[in-house]
Amino acid sequence: MRAALKKAWASRSPRERVVVAALAAVVGAACYMVLLQSAERGRGQLRTSVAALRTQAVLLEQQAAEHRLLRATPATPASSTDLRALVQARADAARLSMTRIEALDVDHVQVAFGAIPFADWLGWVAALQAQHVSLEAARVEALSASGMVSATATLSRAKAQ
């Protein structure tokens, strides 16, 4: 094949050789320009993505520092007060009125609510969990009024580990 190309090149007149060489140079330059343009476009896209990744890295570093700080702080000790009194105090603080509260034993309390807003009940349960009181069982029934429920629940003091 190489010999065939040399023969074809030699058979061309000097003027045709100049034209073919000039066309090859123009095609080569055009390909190079397309390649440079594509590379420049890629650099621009990478520049924006690197900036976004740096922002994410800073956020992750802040979250990691907060995580280390939270892991270093001691856990809130479980309340040593009477569980019934603690549950009643949390209900009073949330302005929820219980229809019944019964201490089953030292570590278990059963409560019942008449008509209360569901969101308030969820907030009350979350506040108790912050006090290391867990929800063992619950029965929540929707009432005819929108967002209102009646609820019964069995709560227990979290075991020390």
Side-chain angles (χ1 to χ4, degrees), residues 50-82:
V50 165
L53 288 172
R54 283 188 178 141
T55 303
Q56 286 178 353
V58 168
L59 180 63
L60 283 174
E61 287 295 327
Q62 290 172 347
Q63 289 174 346
E66 183 179 357
H67 178 70
R68 283 190 296 274
L69 180 67
L70 290 174
R71 300 242 334 141
T73 55
T76 320
S79 175
S80 60
T81 61
D82 177 35

Side-chain angles (χ1 to χ4, degrees), residues 3 14 19 44 53 66-67 70 99 116 118 124 129 136 149 154:
V19 170
L53 288 172
E66 183 179 357
H67 178 70
L70 290 174
T99 57
I116 58 172
F118 183 64
W124 175 74
Q129 287 176 341
E136 277 192 359
V149 296
T154 302

Side-chain angles (χ1 to χ4, degrees), residues 15 32 51 77 134:
R15 188 172 191 177
Y32 184 72
S134 61

Side-chain angles (χ1 to χ4, degrees), residues 96-120:
L96 298 175
S97 61
M98 288 185 268
T99 57
R100 181 174 55 95
I101 181 167
E102 179 182 337
L104 303 175
D105 61 34
V106 176
D107 288 330
H108 293 86
V109 172
Q110 194 169 41
V111 296
F113 295 94
I116 58 172
F118 183 64
D120 292 350

